[in-house]
């Protein structure tokens, strides 16, 4: 599905293929009339992309820039000040749509036409020009979907058009909500029911269409104010302006009805206010606030190993159970990712756009105002325009703070991680080369710009601390992989020598663990797991009857038995476990 573009705020892509940093938090300032500088130029460029500013990219915040900011604030329900303060600037940089109307042109108009065509409303040329045919198609879409039929593709119309809730032209028609400002509203809202008849199901829901917050204006705000007045929560004028008094009334309503009291009329608040017969008025006994559902996940970004790990809760409610591991690229050492704990606020975009340099990425999920999870880089909104360099750099520091991922992993984050999830970015975890190597992506199929098809991974080996290891033994060293390496790592972990991830591939972590075991048990410490070392490691589970004479290959036979070969080890080794290492907290 086509989507309008969003500017990711973690980094932008330069003409030479390298990223340039988005202004860091220490240099942030509200922008207003009279200001000058590169940050003003960046603001003007973004407002130009969204269609709000048509002047020169001068770096001077004058009348044209202020007017553009005001138009944007009005469209997005913000307080109209003309000042690009923190909230306004953040929304400008993450805006998905600009309002489109007859006479507009550009790639976003073309995407609008494509989506209207896919839903059956538009049959014209995908020209990128908003003319009579596009206006008529928008009107038809608005009528079919039960919203005000203006012919203008405003922000709310586009949000519905590109959502999964859009009704196609041949789909069932939505009933528009009654208009309390209509002269006939008090008549048409009456439902006639015969004496004794049941009117269950006769009343139609008042359909939710947009989130209302401080600064919003219009008919829907009037509806909320009128309903809150009827229920005894609001005593102000029915002005259509969603300001402090309306917010306080909404908070009282939410609190009394047992839902989160944030003063914003989202879908849950709207449906409770208008479409729930059990709604409580201001005089009713408040409902208890429901116990909040625990956040299902926590995320650790392991900078040292360039890995993102998603954890879910264990039986004690702690985030210790890994459910997904992903290779990534974090910020370079000169421009590191923001170390610390950050709480996801739910801001997402299907595509993000690094406006200054004209590059893109998929599945943008905000971490904090300056960095986000997103896919590897694209030169344009085209799956074939993938930056091969950004793909090949996965597993190493390559960005200016954002966390780059494979497309499939960025999509998983986008689809599954919601508001409230904590993201911990840390540089303090121990080296785990086995983990990093196990997650490196396959080669890129340049015909389709996707990872080459790889066989499905085999099932995890069935390791048992008291089981017999895979035999015959082979010499295991760096670069080896297989079930026997998996057993080796698992056994060394049980013995306290290996602290890394059990992957079945032998790299630095396994080498160091083998070497430590050898040193502790009087074996030549070369970090190579030869036959003698392996027999010592598995001595507690191998059959080791003690014949006379050291190191003898024994043979015992009876008339009914075949020869039975057993080994005894000389000298006898004392298995001394390594001290348990102290690891940084995860999750």
């Amino acid at each position: 599905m086509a989507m309008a573009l969003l500017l990711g705020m973690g980094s932008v892509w330069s003409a030479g293929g390298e990223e340039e940093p988005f202004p860091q938090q220490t240099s942030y300032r509200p922008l207003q009339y009279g200001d000058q500088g590169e940050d003003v130029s960046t603001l003007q460029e973004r407002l130009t992309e969204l269609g709000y500013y048509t002047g020169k990219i001068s770096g001077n915040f004058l009348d044209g820039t202020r007017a553009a900011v005001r138009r944007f604030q009005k469209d997005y329900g913000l307080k109209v000040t003309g000042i690009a303060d923190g909230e306004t600037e953040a929304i400008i940089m993450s805006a998905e749509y600009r309002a489109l109307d007859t006479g507009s042109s550009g790639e976003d108009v073309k995407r609008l036409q494509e989506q209207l065509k896919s839903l059956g409303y538009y049959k014209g040329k995908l020209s990128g020009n908003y003319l009579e045919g596009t206006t008529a198609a928008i009107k038809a879409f608005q009528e079919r979907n039960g919203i005000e039929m203006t012919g203008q593709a405003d922000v709310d119309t586009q949000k519905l058009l590109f959502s999964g809730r859009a009704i196609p032209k041949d789909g069932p028609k939505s009933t528009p909500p009654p208009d309390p400002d209509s002269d006939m509203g008090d008549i048409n809202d009456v439902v006639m029911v015969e004496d004794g008849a049941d009117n269950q199901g006769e009343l139609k829901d008042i359909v939710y269409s947009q989130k209302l917050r401080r600064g919003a204006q219009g008919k829907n705000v009037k509806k909320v104010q009128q309903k809150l007045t009827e229920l005894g929560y609001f005593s102000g004028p029915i002005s259509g302006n969603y300001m402090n008094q309306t917010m306080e009334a909404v908070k009282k309503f939410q609190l009394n009805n047992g839902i989160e009291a944030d003063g914003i009329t989202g879908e849950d608040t709207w449906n409770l206010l208008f479409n729930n017969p059990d709604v409580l008025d201001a005089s009713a006994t408040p409902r208890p606030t429901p116990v909040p559902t625990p956040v299902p996940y926590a995320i650790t970004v392991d900078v040292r190993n360039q890995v993102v790990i998603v954890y879910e809760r264990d039986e004690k409610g702690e985030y210790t159970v890994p459910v997904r591991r992903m290779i990534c690229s974090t910020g370079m050492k000169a421009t590191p990712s923001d170390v610390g704990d950050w709480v996801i606020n739910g801001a997402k975009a299907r595509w993000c756009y690094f406006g200054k340099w004209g590059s893109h990425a998929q599945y943008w999920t905000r971490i904090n105002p300056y960095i986000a999870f997103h896919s590897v880089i694209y030169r344009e909104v085209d799956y074939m325009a993938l930056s091969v360099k950004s793909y090949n750099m996965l597993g190493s520091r390559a960005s200016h703070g954002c966390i780059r991922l494979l497309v499939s992993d960025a999509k998983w984050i986008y689809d599954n991680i919601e508001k409230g999830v904590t993201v911990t970015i840390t540089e303090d975890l121990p080296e785990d080369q086995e983990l990093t190597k196990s997650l490196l992506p396959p080669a890129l199929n340049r015909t389709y710009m996707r990872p080459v098809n790889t066989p499905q991974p085999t099932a995890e080996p069935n390791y048992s601390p008291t089981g017999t290891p895979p035999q015959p033994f082979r010499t295991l060293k760096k670069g080896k992989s297989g079930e026997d390496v998996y057993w080796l790592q698992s056994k060394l972990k049980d013995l306290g020598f290996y602290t890394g991830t059990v992957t079945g591939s032998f790299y630095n972590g396994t080498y160091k663990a083998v070497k430590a075991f050898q040193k502790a048990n009087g074996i030549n410490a070369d970090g190579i797991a030869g036959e003698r070392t392996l027999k010592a490691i598995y001595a507690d589970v191998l059959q080791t009857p003690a014949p006379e004479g050291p190191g003898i290959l024994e043979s015992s036979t009876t008339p009914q038995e075949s020869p039975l070969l057993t080994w005894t080890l000389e000298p006898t080794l004392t298995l001394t476990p390594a001290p348990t290492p102290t690891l940084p907290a995860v999750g």
Side-chain angles (χ1 to χ4, degrees), residues 268-282:
D268 291 342
T269 299
W270 179 280
N271 287 333
L272 181 59
L273 187 62
F274 291 105
N275 303 320
N276 191 324
D278 299 322
V279 63
L280 299 181
D281 63 26

Side-chain angles (χ1 to χ4, degrees), residues 353-401:
Y353 177 47
F354 304 117
K356 188 172 183 179
W357 305 106
S359 292
H360 310 264
Q362 298 192 64
Y363 300 111
W364 182 93
T365 300
R366 178 190 184 276
I367 296 173
N368 68 24
Y370 305 97
I371 62 174
F373 293 110
H374 60 69
S375 77
V376 287
I377 301 299
Y378 291 79
R379 295 184 301 278
E380 55 187 286
V381 182
D382 181 344
Y383 298 132
M384 294 302 296
L386 173 70
S387 164
V388 175
K389 179 179 179 181
S390 70
Y391 182 91
N392 291 336
M393 290 294 286
L394 287 170
S396 61
R397 300 185 183 204
S399 80
H400 279 80

Side-chain angles (χ1 to χ4, degrees), residues 6-9 87 90-96 211 213 343-352 362-374 410 413-415 417-421 423:
L6 173 101
L7 176 65
M9 294 189 293
E87 181 182 16
I91 295 175
I92 288 173
M93 296 306 182
S94 61
E96 295 184 25
K211 182 179 288 188
R213 62 176 76 234
V343 179
I344 295 287
N345 75 348
K348 298 181 180 182
R350 176 62 180 81
W351 282 89
C352 61
Q362 298 192 64
Y363 300 111
W364 182 93
T365 300
R366 178 190 184 276
I367 296 173
N368 68 24
Y370 305 97
I371 62 174
F373 293 110
H374 60 69
I413 293 280
Y414 180 88
D415 289 340
I417 300 303
E418 301 297 340
K419 181 179 179 180
V421 172
V423 177

